[in-house]
């Protein structure tokens, strides 16, 4: 999860649907002359030649208004990979009051997205809010549930599902260690690893939290492969924002933002964990903003790719009250992390919440501003950036929501060659969706964004503009 918001094999809990025979997932041979079947390069600078335009484009919208489902199905979390989009709705009532559910949409040949599965945990019950937190990668999905029994004992559970030829089936149920506090599970980018983040139930005054790393066995179960302890500043909301690859985990520690809250760590931080060659995980860094102030909510959103990291601070007041900001960091050859840039919207306004979500991949960066209101109140927007040859982020466009109170950009995730931005509507008290009387027809949706693509040749080399060379077109000729 990259936005502000969170060991036994179990039975299948998914509704069964046949695989879609029309979906063609076979690889195509690359023809550099026409770009047909070519891999899309994540070229790292302005030297590469785009093949599908130069600006981001809203190519389609996935409607969440599906007949037969509860009419209040807010998007609590999103997940995506090359062929699937997962939409969590923790207030869905199909299996009981606020039991929750997750919908899975499959990409079709024509680029549209079709609802194929609605999945629920095998032992779902009222009040579970299943779908409030999920992670999807590599044909696997994990969703968290926090549950209390009649005695008041609290269990933190993670339900794992896998794509079995177009049918999603539950393959494992994970239980966090007793007394570990609130637990969040997240998959690595390949889906081969999982991190379990155990934060204290009440983290005021607590300066540590546990991280457990799990690997998948051939029978579908998951076993602990490593553990580490995080040194967390007191007063932070830890583990709500997470970015995880095979060798690096970044966890946001959002500072307190309510002025009435007691003293503690209020500026927030992002905690970085790396895995060494021996497979040992350890906390290696903690980054904070150079100009951080109390109540900025720095750390509410994080996204890392290679040696770059972006952290959101949606309550930053640089341009206007709660206009928001995003901070860019880079790992130096010495292994230290340094802030290299602070980004604000070129048209930042009061309560825009720029930095509420962030997502970066290769030379692309997207920042959500769900409070942006250029069209109507809380329409929301997604700002798109591209990495330049000098290592700074340059704005290349903005995708705006289509209706009032959609809050477009509250969640942003990469999935294959697309980016998905939630546009699920207005959230009222406690996170539950409400509809102000003036906006009864605002649709709940997920916007699908296409970024300019860059064709590669068979060896993965970008096609360079005149004057540039190198695998990623990063070298200027004659310089």
């Amino acid at each position: 999860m990259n936005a502000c918001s969170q060991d036994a094999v179990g039975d299948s809990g998914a509704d069964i649907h046949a695989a879609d025979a029309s979906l063609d997932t076979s690889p195509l041979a690359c023809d550099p002359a026409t770009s047909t079947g070519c891999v899309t390069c994540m070229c790292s600078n302005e030297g590469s030649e785009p093949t599908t335009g130069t600006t981001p484009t809203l190519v389609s919208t996935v409607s969440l208004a599906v007949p037969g489902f509860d009419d209040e199905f807010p998007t609590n979390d999103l997940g995506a990979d090359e062929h699937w989009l997962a939409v969590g709705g923790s207030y869905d009532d199909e299996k009981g009051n606020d039991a929750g559910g997750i919908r899975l949409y499959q990409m079709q040949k024509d680029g549209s997205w079709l609802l194929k599965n609605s999945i629920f945990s095998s032992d779902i019950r009222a009040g579970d809010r299943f779908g409030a937190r999920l992670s999807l990668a590599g044909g696997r999905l994990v969703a968290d549930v926090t549950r209390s029994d009649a005695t008041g004992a609290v269990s933190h559970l993670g339900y794992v599902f896998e794509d079995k030829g177009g049918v999603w089936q539950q393959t494992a149920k994970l239980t966090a260690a007793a007394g570990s506090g609130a637990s969040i599970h997240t998959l690595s980018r390949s889906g081969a690893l999982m991190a379990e983040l155990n934060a204290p139930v009440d983290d005021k005054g607590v300066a540590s939290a546990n991280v457990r790393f799990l690997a998948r066995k051939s029978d579908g179960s998951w076993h602990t492969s490593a553990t580490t302890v995080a040194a967390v500043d007191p007063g932070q909301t830890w583990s709500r924002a997470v970015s995880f690859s095979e060798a690096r985990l970044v966890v946001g520690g959002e500072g307190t933002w309510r002025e009435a809250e007691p003293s503690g760590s209020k500026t927030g931080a992002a905690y970085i964990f790396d895995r060494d060659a021996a497979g040992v995980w350890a906390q290696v860094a903690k980054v904070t903003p150079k100009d951080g102030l109390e109540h900025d909510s720095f750390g509410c959103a994080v996204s890392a790719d290679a040696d770059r990291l972006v952290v959101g601070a949606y309550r930053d007041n640089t341009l206007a009250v709660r206009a928001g900001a995003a901070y860019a960091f880079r790992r130096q050859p010495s292994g230290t992390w340094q802030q290299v840039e602070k980004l604000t919207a070129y048209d930042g306004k009061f309560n825009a919440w720029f930095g509420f979500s962030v997502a970066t991949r290769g030379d692309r960066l997207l920042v959500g501003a769900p409070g942006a209101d250029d069209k109507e109140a809380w329409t929301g927007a997604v700002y798109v950036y591209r990495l330049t040859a000098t290592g700074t982020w340059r704005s290349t466009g903005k995708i705006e929501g289509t209706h009032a109170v959609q809050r477009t950009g509250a969640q942003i995730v990469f999935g294959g060659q697309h980016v998905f931005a939630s546009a699920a509507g207005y959230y009222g008290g406690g996170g539950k969706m409400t509809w102000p009387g003036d906006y009864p027809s605002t649709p709940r949706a997920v916007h699908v964004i296409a970024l300019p693509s860059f064709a590669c040749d068979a060896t993965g080399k970008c096609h360079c503009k005149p004057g540039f060379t190198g695998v990623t077109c990063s070298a200027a000729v004659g310089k």
Side-chain angles (χ1 to χ4, degrees), residues 303-320:
S303 182
D305 187 68
D307 288 339
R308 295 186 181 275
L309 167 66
V310 179
V311 183
Y314 76 99
R315 295 178 67 87
D316 180 87
N317 298 329
T318 299
L319 297 183

Side-chain angles (χ1 to χ4, degrees), residues 8 13 33 41 109 122 140 177 187 196 217-218 228 244 257 270 343 369 410:
C41 296
K109 275 187 173 182
S122 55
R140 299 189 178 102
L187 290 165
E196 180 184 273
K217 292 183 177 180
S218 58
T228 190
F244 186 30
W257 57 267
L343 301 171

Side-chain angles (χ1 to χ4, degrees), residues 172-192:
K173 177 181 174 181
L174 310 173
T175 302
S180 63
S183 178
I184 289 176
H185 297 86
T186 188
L187 290 165
S188 63
R189 187 174 295 179
S190 70

Side-chain angles (χ1 to χ4, degrees), residues 97 113 120 192 197 213 300 400 473 476:
N97 185 46
W113 293 82
F120 308 91
L197 313 174
F213 297 91
C300 74
E400 295 178 307
C473 304

Side-chain angles (χ1 to χ4, degrees), residues 408-475:
T408 296
Q411 297 281 351
I412 305 173
V413 294
F414 276 91
Q417 305 304 333
H418 293 98
V419 180
F420 302 88
S422 65
Y426 178 86
Y427 286 86
K432 189 158 185 175
M433 184 170 287
T434 59
W435 295 110
D438 292 339
Y439 309 104
S441 61
T442 292
R444 302 178 300 286
V446 175
H447 293 316
V448 184
I449 301 170
L451 301 177
S453 64
F454 300 81
C456 309
D457 61 22
T459 62
K461 181 182 181 299
C462 299
H463 290 282
C464 301
K465 294 179 181 179
F468 290 85
T469 187
V471 173
T472 61
C473 304
S474 60

Side-chain angles (χ1 to χ4, degrees), residues 7-10 135-143 158-162 164 169-175 185-196 212-226 244 246:
D7 299 350
V9 177
S135 177
L136 170 64
R140 299 189 178 102
L141 181 150
V142 60
Y159 295 88
V160 184
F161 296 78
E162 297 191 17
K164 304 290 187 179
Q169 298 179 1
Q170 183 179 317
T171 57
K173 177 181 174 181
L174 310 173
T175 302
H185 297 86
T186 188
L187 290 165
S188 63
R189 187 174 295 179
S190 70
L193 294 175
M194 188 186 306
E196 180 184 273
R212 182 166 68 123
F213 297 91
L214 301 100
R216 184 182 181 278
K217 292 183 177 180
S218 58
D219 64 0
S221 64
W222 294 76
H223 69 95
T224 301
S225 60
F244 186 30
E246 272 52 49

Side-chain angles (χ1 to χ4, degrees), residues 358-376:
V358 294
T360 183
R361 186 75 58 85
D363 73 332
R364 317 301 174 83
L365 167 64
L366 293 93
V367 181
D373 57 1
D374 285 354
K375 292 183 177 180
E376 296 182 77

